[in-house]
Amino acid sequence: METELNHMREYYEGGYTKEASWREAQLKGLRSFIIEKQEDIMNALLQDLGKHQVEAFRDEIGTLMKTLNLALKNLKKWMSAKKAELPKIALLTSAEIVPEPFGLVLIISSWNFPFGLSLEPVIGAVAAGNTVVLKPSELSPACSSVLASGLATYLDHKAIKVIQGGPQETQQLLHQRWDKIFFTGSAHVGRIVMSAAVNHLTPVTLELGGKCPAVVDSLSSSWDIEVAVKRIAVGKFGTCAGQACIAIDYVIVEKEYCSKLVELLKVWIKKMFGENPKHTKTISRIVNKHHFFRLKNLLADAKVNESVVYGGSMDEQDLFIEPTILVDPPLEASIMTEEIFGPLLPIITVGKIEDSIKFLRSRPKPLALYVFTKSQTLQRRILSETSSGSLTFNDAILQYAADTLPFGGVGESGFGMYHGKFSFDTFSHHKAIVRRSFLTDFWYRYPPWTLNKLQLLEVSYNYDYLGLLLVVLGLKKPSNRRHF
Amino acid sequence: MSREESQKKKVFDAEAASFLMKELRGNVGSGTTRSYEWRVSQMKALLKLMDENEDHIVDALRSDLDKPPLETVVYEVGMLRNSCEVVLKELKHWMMPEKVKTAIATFPSSAEIVPEPLGVVLVISAWNYPFLLSLDPVVGAIAAGNAVVLKPSEISPATSSLLAKLLEKYMDNSFIRVVEGEVDETTALLQQKWDKIFYTGNGRVGRIVMTAAAKHLTPVVLELGGKSPVVVDSNVNLQVTARRIISGKWGLNNGQACISPDYVITTKNYAPKLVDALKTELENSYGKSPLESKDLSRIVNSNHFARLTKLLDDAKVSGKIVYGGEKDESKLRIAPTLLLDVPRDSLIMGEEIFGPLLPIITVNKLEESIDVINSGTKPLAAYLFTTDNKFKEQFVKTVSAGGMLVNDTALHLVVHTLPFGGVGDSGTGAYHGKFSFDAFTHKKAVLYRSFMGDASIRYPPYTNTKLRLMKALIGGGILNIIRALLGRS
């Protein structure tokens, strides 16, 4: 492995990846891959996760296309130097910030959106001119395999490699020297990644998860309520069966409106996923037995089981779990302390909707916070009194598709961000460059130090041009400084 | 002793750190630090602190480093003043949410990026610019609305204790604290869960900080160092070049600065001319007995004095000293020293010098300098003196460093519109100006959607039409969308 990586470094040092033409070729290659191999991609997703092709397109293929088009359109702009404003006293000097690639980067991806979460960072990394090693998740092996063959075929294999494997391969990779590591996954593994990065002082981006709450206020219009319920249903059950870092984890609603919400959810779950969701195949599968049993165990607790008001049926053979709703399970139960990552939706009731703010503040900062309300007061309060990676009003998941918004966590949900230009920036070192001329040289920069020189330096650094003139002309009185 | 005194004498241990953290988190919950007024009041308090205590600051730095008063006033106090002024001028603008455009994927919607404080942050500072490197990050932390604990370096004890005293007197103690101490106290602090840690210092301790941060998934800024090279071409104004190298090297705490030119690379032919110019200008700046010059800082302590002496005593560099080399251990002074043609595997070329020794390496062709630099770890700064535009551009393109200057040294530190930070071994993250604000801020993405304009293609049950429509929307073009709607694509 070390030899392979050394070759990649040598290739990077050759300077090829820094050329705009190389980067464009890679982005176009990725686009061709997604267009030409779409069927393979969809089949792999169906195989690994039972993901419906429309969901696959909506959440992975479509978003990647959008990102690729954006990157191709803006690449030159992103690569260009940005002039930095200088004070007027800086005669014949120019300053700019130039983005440069880090070098060799490692991207560790996740199993739930194996194409999206692998390739969105890869797009950023190659657009920024880096060489890349991608380690897709072994829990989505069909997708991992399509990625490996696809990238080898469509991209510059000397600069972009896919290394498949499990925890052992990941450990091996983490022992190597990287110029940047981009990790998507759990907080537990995130700690391992960051600790490994210490050795070489490698900068990291950690895209983790958490319990993403949806606060649902009372909505008066029946149209609004219906739209809200649909968005909640698809934001939970319709997004890889809730196995998404930004899926709605649980709902908070006023006691008064709880039963109405539950009734409407039941209606729309049936409309969206059919009377028999296992057979309509519109809901994704649980990825493997380990997670299936993890989810099953969340309902094992008697009190939690009692709180189930809808669904609950599971099929180990098919790794299927029905959309399930719970009302007020105990807050100390695992289902309310751990990230659920599955199609179980607890609804927590509060007296007044404003109480949700205190509830949210007492918990770790989530990757996403969703609030369904038309009250501007509540919107303002939640915006300023809570913290989360992102905050979306009256919808869920969609923020993922917004290129102009940074996508990333805060606190327990991670640090760093990407999407759109933020992807490019996250894989770039922003180098400051100042160019000076020999002509403008101020004698007061140099020792021996005198009070006069001190004054001159002070006024120049504080950009006090008038002061500068007065001191030079001997017209400004020296201030009372005893150390001279 | 009084109760306050005995409390102060108490060791700052894990329990104390935990208590401090709880207290600060509780206070931050009140929302005070989020207000513009509070942040402005703290900036003004810092300015007042400097106005009323400049003499004490100069004295502390004289005690810790024998730093020439001018360096203290201009670099430590002057630069911090500038940072505060920039915040006062720009903060309102920085605090405003940034509206961003939204595209068809989220239509109809509006979006903005809202800067919010991270919470409670830790700033660990260094000993060479103990005033500036402590308070400049603190300025950023406060501007961004955080509570901050400052741990100044114990290697500059007079400044550390002055900072503790002055910050307690002038700043809002509910949110801004100083914890003095050494390894034990720093370890106790690092065990806590901070929302951000900002560390200035060396790579060894940087790794300790990052390891501690990893346990709590705390993001870090590491401002480290490295060997900042100066490449000198033969087509330059030699006098100005020499002065600027001197100014960036000995003029900055006698070479004890993270961005001091560490070593010089020039051609074999040009080296003697450069050495002569440096000798002349060094004498102009510091006189005939620079060891006694009041315009040079001393070496900070006997550890570093011994370290630097070892570099000079290295057998590989004996006979390479062409200027200076004088030492006075009792006063911890080392004179500006030039070494010519040191071997690449000498001790002085193996680590960051951080002192008044300037080795000059020679190459046959100047282009080789790029390979020399790239064979080492990425430095915090790289300097190039040349009038050859082609070489200039090649250098800028192929050498990676935190920051770069052409035809000068160190000045980029002063330009607050430039990010100041390292890359690779020289660190991660950046600050100064708005970059300080950003370093301590979480940029929260906020998306506003309405209940109108609900695209049913998002929802199951999934149909082929929905798929076609989605593809058309992504592929763009109104024609494709119409085709999809009509079921023709």
Side-chain angles (χ1 to χ4, degrees):
Chain A
M1 191 189 273
E2 226 178 290
T3 343
E4 216 181 336
L5 297 179
N6 282 336
H7 286 320
M8 289 182 82
R9 276 199 191 285
E10 269 164 36
Y11 190 70
Y12 173 75
E13 252 120 63
Y16 311 102
T17 66
K18 287 189 176 171
E19 298 300 317
S21 56
W22 180 87
R23 308 182 198 196
E24 240 180 70
Q26 305 318 301
L27 294 172
K28 287 186 171 153
L30 272 171
R31 199 164 57 178
S32 302
F33 166 59
I34 293 177
I35 293 173
E36 291 168 23
K37 295 291 174 191
Q38 200 164 124
E39 212 183 304
D40 289 349
I41 293 172
M42 284 184 169
N43 285 336
L45 283 164
L46 190 65
Q47 195 179 328
D48 282 336
L49 292 153
K51 201 177 272 203
H52 192 282
Q53 58 167 339
V54 175
E55 213 186 296
F57 187 87
R58 186 196 69 203
D59 293 346
E60 300 204 55
I61 297 168
T63 47
L64 283 169
M65 284 300 295
K66 157 196 73 67
T67 303
L68 282 164
N69 289 335
L70 183 85
L72 280 163
K73 184 165 162 227
N74 291 289
L75 183 65
K76 292 245 163 70
K77 195 163 79 158
W78 292 351
M79 282 174 69
S80 61
K82 254 175 61 180
K83 285 224 167 299
E85 214 189 281
L86 284 171
K88 283 191 214 65
I89 197 165
L91 303 163
L92 293 178
T93 303
S94 74
E96 57 185 15
I97 304 169
V98 172
E100 49 171 48
F102 280 118
L104 178 58
V105 309
L106 172 65
I107 296 173
I108 300 176
S109 160
S110 177
W111 52 260
N112 52 344
F113 293 84
F115 288 96
L117 298 177
S118 295
L119 298 179
E120 291 276 355
V122 167
I123 291 170
V126 300
N130 298 279
T131 48
V132 183
V133 168
L134 168 66
K135 159 73 185 66
S137 172
E138 70 279 15
L139 296 187
S140 45
C143 296
S144 200
S145 178
V146 170
L147 276 167
S149 64
L151 266 57
T153 311
Y154 286 86
L155 302 183
D156 183 350
H157 64 275
K158 290 206 274 299
I160 303 156
K161 290 197 200 293
V162 177
I163 295 183
Q164 298 189 72
Q168 243 190 348
E169 279 73 15
T170 309
Q171 276 291 2
Q172 257 194 306
L173 283 167
L174 287 174
H175 276 135
Q176 307 302 318
R177 180 169 76 92
W178 304 97
D179 299 306
K180 169 100 190 189
I181 299 177
F182 187 103
F183 171 78
T184 306
S186 70
H188 169 70
V189 182
R191 284 181 173 85
I192 296 172
V193 170
M194 189 169 170
S195 303
V198 171
N199 198 9
H200 297 286
L201 290 169
T202 303
V204 302
T205 294
L206 300 178
E207 294 271 333
L208 310 175
K211 292 180 78 62
C212 299
V215 175
V216 184
D217 195 6
S218 62
L219 299 163
S220 46
S221 134
S222 57
W223 168 264
D224 290 352
I225 299 172
E226 197 175 280
V227 173
V229 166
K230 281 159 76 178
R231 291 173 177 180
I232 292 170
V234 86
K236 174 65 153 184
F237 311 109
T239 310
C240 205
Q243 300 166 101
C245 51
I246 47 169
I248 294 177
D249 189 277
Y250 65 98
V251 164
I252 304 177
V253 71
E254 264 177 27
K255 228 187 205 70
E256 245 190 291
Y257 302 107
C258 182
S259 49
K260 185 163 182 193
L261 177 64
V262 172
E263 288 319 305
L264 280 167
L265 274 168
K266 288 182 187 176
V267 165
W268 280 99
I269 288 173
K270 289 206 171 69
K271 281 199 185 166
M272 289 185 184
F273 304 103
E275 286 290 340
N276 204 332
K278 195 162 77 164
H279 293 149
T280 52
K281 297 201 189 298
T282 35
I283 188 168
S284 299
R285 269 197 334 257
I286 306 307
V287 68
N288 61 16
K289 281 211 171 19
H290 164 76
H291 280 280
F292 179 88
F293 285 116
R294 180 184 62 79
L295 288 162
K296 190 167 178 193
N297 279 330
L298 290 179
L299 297 183
D301 181 85
K303 282 222 172 79
V304 174
N305 210 320
E306 271 165 27
S307 66
V308 175
V309 298
Y310 181 85
S313 73
M314 307 190 180
D315 184 335
E316 187 185 325
Q317 184 85 318
D318 284 345
L319 292 175
F320 166 81
I321 295 182
E322 191 191 352
T324 302
I325 306 175
L326 306 89
V327 175
D328 280 326
L331 295 175
E332 330 77 61
S334 301
I335 200 171
M336 279 311 294
T337 57
E338 291 170 14
E339 187 174 2
I340 296 169
F341 230 67
L344 315 175
L345 181 67
I347 298 179
I348 307 295
T349 61
V350 291
K352 284 191 338 276
I353 199 65
E354 289 79 12
D355 297 342
S356 61
I357 295 179
K358 193 160 157 212
F359 189 91
L360 294 169
R361 286 167 66 107
S362 65
R363 283 171 171 71
K365 300 176 185 179
L367 186 54
L369 173 57
Y370 305 111
V371 180
F372 292 83
T373 183
K374 288 184 101 156
S375 156
Q376 296 229 353
T377 319
L378 185 64
Q379 284 189 6
R380 267 197 300 269
R381 274 199 69 190
I382 293 195
L383 178 57
S384 60
E385 292 177 44
T386 68
S387 183
S388 51
S390 67
L391 171 58
T392 302
F393 290 110
N394 301 328
D395 211 324
I397 317 292
L398 210 59
Q399 74 276 14
Y400 184 83
D403 298 311
T404 49
L405 286 176
F407 185 84
V410 64
E412 290 282 321
S413 48
F415 54 81
M417 51 184 147
Y418 71 134
H419 284 190
K421 181 169 192 284
F422 301 105
S423 292
F424 178 89
D425 288 340
T426 230
F427 286 100
S428 297
H429 163 55
H430 297 272
K431 184 164 76 178
I433 302 177
V434 176
R435 292 177 172 81
R436 294 263 296 160
S437 126
F438 289 106
L439 295 177
T440 51
D441 202 38
F442 297 118
W443 77 94
Y444 47 85
R445 264 179 82 181
Y446 310 113
W449 299 133
T450 61
L451 182 60
N452 197 295
K453 283 186 180 178
L454 168 62
Q455 284 193 305
L456 286 167
L457 273 168
E458 270 197 312
V459 298
S460 4
Y461 281 124
N462 287 313
Y463 314 133
D464 179 3
Y465 314 116
L466 182 60
L468 180 64
L469 182 63
L470 293 173
V471 173
V472 167
L473 294 175
L475 291 172
K476 195 165 152 82
K477 259 179 23 189
S479 61
N480 194 7
R481 287 201 151 83
R482 69 169 176 85
H483 26 267
F484 283 91
Chain B
M1 77 180 63
S2 69
R3 202 163 77 111
E4 294 87 64
E5 282 170 29
S6 66
Q7 267 180 342
K8 276 195 188 115
K9 294 267 185 256
K10 226 168 67 176
V11 168
F12 187 85
D13 55 8
E15 202 188 310
S18 171
F19 184 78
L20 172 64
M21 178 58 92
K22 237 204 231 138
E23 202 188 326
L24 290 174
R25 284 213 182 279
N27 293 347
V28 160
S30 68
T32 311
T33 62
R34 303 191 74 128
S35 83
Y36 173 75
E37 289 73 27
W38 180 83
R39 307 180 201 192
V40 164
S41 75
Q42 297 309 290
M43 289 300 112
K44 293 193 169 152
L46 261 176
L47 285 168
K48 188 159 176 242
L49 184 161
M50 285 184 273
D51 283 340
E52 294 176 3
N53 293 279
E54 195 180 282
D55 287 351
H56 294 134
I57 298 167
V58 167
D59 286 342
L61 278 147
R62 193 186 264 130
S63 165
D64 284 333
L65 288 153
D66 224 354
K67 193 173 275 204
L70 184 137
E71 279 192 46
T72 302
V73 170
V74 171
Y75 291 117
E76 303 239 25
V77 179
M79 282 193 58
L80 188 69
R81 237 198 212 112
N82 196 31
S83 291
C84 294
E85 303 279 5
V86 169
V87 171
L88 285 172
K89 186 161 162 241
E90 306 280 340
L91 186 61
K92 256 217 173 88
H93 179 66
W94 295 347
M95 281 175 71
M96 271 179 13
E98 182 196 338
K99 288 226 169 299
V100 294
K101 287 212 295 245
T102 53
I104 197 162
T106 56
F107 182 83
S109 63
S110 68
E112 56 187 10
I113 301 173
V114 175
E116 29 172 67
L118 287 166
V120 182
V121 306
L122 174 65
V123 173
I124 301 176
S125 165
W127 54 259
N128 58 337
Y129 283 80
F131 189 77
L132 178 69
L133 297 178
S134 297
L135 295 181
D136 214 356
V138 166
V139 163
I142 294 173
N146 300 280
V148 50
V149 172
L150 166 66
K151 160 67 186 70
S153 172
E154 68 277 16
I155 297 180
S156 43
T159 311
S160 177
S161 124
L162 182 66
L163 280 167
K165 198 175 101 186
L166 291 180
L167 263 64
E168 190 183 8
K169 183 172 168 200
Y170 288 82
M171 312 296 284
D172 187 343
N173 294 316
S174 305
F175 305 101
I176 300 158
R177 296 284 177 83
V178 177
V179 172
E180 294 191 81
E182 307 186 24
V183 177
D184 290 338
E185 288 77 7
T186 310
T187 307
L189 285 169
L190 285 174
Q191 278 169 359
Q192 293 304 308
K193 180 179 158 67
W194 302 92
D195 296 307
K196 184 113 187 190
I197 301 177
F198 188 107
Y199 170 74
T200 307
N202 63 58
R204 186 187 64 85
V205 179
R207 282 174 172 79
I208 295 173
V209 170
M210 190 170 166
T211 303
K215 296 203 174 75
H216 296 290
L217 297 167
T218 298
V220 301
V221 170
L222 301 176
E223 295 271 330
L224 310 176
K227 292 183 78 62
S228 300
V230 187
V231 176
V232 182
D233 202 347
S234 50
N235 50 25
V236 300
N237 177 327
L238 196 46
Q239 191 193 44
V240 175
T241 300
R243 282 165 146 189
R244 288 176 178 179
I245 292 176
I246 293 169
S247 158
K249 175 76 167 184
W250 296 281
L252 290 182
N253 209 21
N254 207 7
Q256 300 166 103
C258 50
I259 47 163
S260 276
D262 187 276
Y263 67 103
V264 171
I265 310 176
T266 191
T267 55
K268 276 192 170 47
N269 288 337
Y270 200 63
K273 292 206 187 87
L274 177 59
V275 169
D276 283 340
L278 282 167
K279 284 182 182 173
T280 310
E281 293 305 324
L282 275 167
E283 210 176 289
N284 285 341
S285 305
Y286 303 113
K288 289 202 189 290
S289 17
L291 199 58
E292 279 112 48
S293 171
K294 288 210 168 306
D295 293 334
L296 286 168
S297 297
R298 63 151 211 266
I299 306 307
V300 67
N301 63 17
S302 45
N303 278 344
H304 281 274
F305 187 90
R307 181 182 63 80
L308 289 163
T309 304
K310 194 160 159 221
L311 297 181
L312 283 177
D313 290 346
D314 180 14
K316 296 206 171 99
V317 308
S318 69
K320 304 287 184 189
I321 298 177
V322 294
Y323 181 89
E326 299 97 359
K327 299 180 249 135
D328 182 342
E329 194 169 346
S330 63
K331 297 207 177 85
L332 291 176
R333 290 201 154 266
I334 298 179
T337 303
L338 301 173
L339 304 95
L340 179 57
D341 266 327
V342 297
R344 308 262 178 93
D345 60 348
S346 53
L347 287 174
I348 203 170
M349 284 308 294
E351 53 176 79
E352 186 177 1
I353 296 168
F354 226 70
L357 320 174
L358 184 68
I360 299 167
I361 302 184
T362 57
V363 290
N364 291 318
K365 283 198 330 273
L366 202 61
E367 289 73 29
E368 294 166 47
S369 63
I370 295 183
D371 296 322
V372 172
I373 299 171
N374 284 340
S375 68
T377 57
K378 297 177 185 178
L380 187 54
Y383 306 110
L384 168 65
F385 286 85
T386 186
T387 49
D388 177 349
N389 278 320
K390 212 166 137 229
F391 184 62
K392 203 190 284 184
E393 292 319 310
Q394 192 198 356
F395 190 87
V396 167
K397 206 170 158 199
T398 49
V399 173
S400 185
M404 271 187 174
L405 255 89
V406 180
N407 298 332
D408 212 327
T409 61
L411 275 190
H412 60 309
L413 190 66
V414 176
V415 180
H416 68 87
T417 48
L418 288 174
F420 184 80
V423 63
D425 278 56
S426 51
T428 174
Y431 72 131
H432 285 183
K434 180 166 195 285
F435 302 101
S436 292
F437 178 87
D438 290 342
F440 291 100
T441 292
H442 166 53
K443 293 200 160 130
K444 184 159 78 178
V446 183
L447 182 67
Y448 295 89
R449 291 267 295 163
S450 83
F451 295 108
M452 301 281 118
D454 197 36
S456 66
I457 64 176
R458 283 169 69 184
Y459 307 117
Y462 299 128
T463 63
N464 282 332
T465 313
K466 288 187 179 179
L467 181 59
R468 272 202 304 272
L469 263 170
M470 259 191 244
K471 286 192 177 180
L473 275 170
I474 301 291
I478 188 80
L479 231 54
N480 282 328
I481 297 175
I482 295 175
R483 273 205 206 100
L485 279 167
L486 295 176
R488 292 246 192 109
S489 59

